[in-house]
Amino acid sequence: QTEEYQPPVAVDGKVPRNEYGNVYLFKPCMLPIGCVHLHVPNLHRVARKLNIDCVPAVTGFDFHCGFSHPVTDGYVACEEFQDVLLDAWNIEQAELEKKEQEKREKRVFGNWKLLIKGLLIRERLKQRYGTKDEAPGSALEGGAGFSSDEEQPSSETPAQDATASSP
């Protein structure tokens, strides 16, 4: 007969690990006593900043490319640090989101700045090298200079009859 698996006990805030520095958690009963399984991404970074022991949870193995690779799902930490870790993780996520928003806004303002500079250069070139019969600044009035103006019918009179005009 086989006997039930007895998970190790967490002592002094240290999570028991295997020889690879992970915790095997193939079933919920394999969770070490005094520990909790947290399904939060990148929790190890927050735990390292706070000097809290946090270990990846290996929930299975994936077989591809001729080898087996461990599949990790979340982290295992001691129960007494659960609230501290989750609060710190939420604060960290809020800061990351704020940095992403600032980065996005900086890119948007840079794009607008580039567009405005291009339009100013274009207008300056039109004023400097535009045709002589146009008054300066009249290029933007009335929509002159756009491709839709070129498609309008010309004011010249077309030939009355193509066969009659040929010799």
Side-chain angles (χ1 to χ4, degrees), residues 48-63:
R48 190 178 317 132
K49 289 179 186 176
L50 298 174
N51 284 336
I52 296 175
D53 193 33
C54 184
V55 179
V58 176
T59 56
F61 287 91
D62 187 20
F63 300 96

Side-chain angles (χ1 to χ4, degrees), residues 141-156:
E141 295 171 6
F146 294 110
S147 63
S148 61
D149 292 337
E150 296 171 0
E151 296 172 4
Q152 293 176 352
S154 63
S155 60
E156 301 172 3

Side-chain angles (χ1 to χ4, degrees), residues 16 21-22 30-31 49 52 71 85 132 141 154 158:
N22 302 319
M30 294 180 73
L31 185 67
K49 289 179 186 176
I52 296 175
V71 175
L85 279 173
K132 301 295 182 192
E141 295 171 6
S154 63

Side-chain angles (χ1 to χ4, degrees), residues 2-3 14 41 45 69-70 77 79 96 100 112 132 147 154-155 159:
T2 60
E3 53 187 66
K14 296 290 183 189
R45 285 193 271 166
H69 304 280
E79 288 177 345
L96 285 175
E100 283 285 327
W112 275 107
K132 301 295 182 192
S147 63
S154 63
S155 60

Side-chain angles (χ1 to χ4, degrees), residues 7 23 34 49 54 56 83-84 98 120 162 167:
V23 171
K49 289 179 186 176
C54 184
D83 296 331
V84 174
K98 183 179 175 183
L120 289 174

Side-chain angles (χ1 to χ4, degrees), residues 59-93:
T59 56
F61 287 91
D62 187 20
F63 300 96
H64 65 276
C65 298
F67 298 100
S68 63
H69 304 280
V71 175
T72 60
D73 180 30
Y75 296 90
V76 176
C78 290
E79 288 177 345
E80 60 261 19
F81 299 123
Q82 178 181 3
D83 296 331
V84 174
L85 279 173
L86 291 178
D87 291 339
W89 184 81
N90 287 331
I91 292 170
E92 178 96 8
Q93 291 301 310

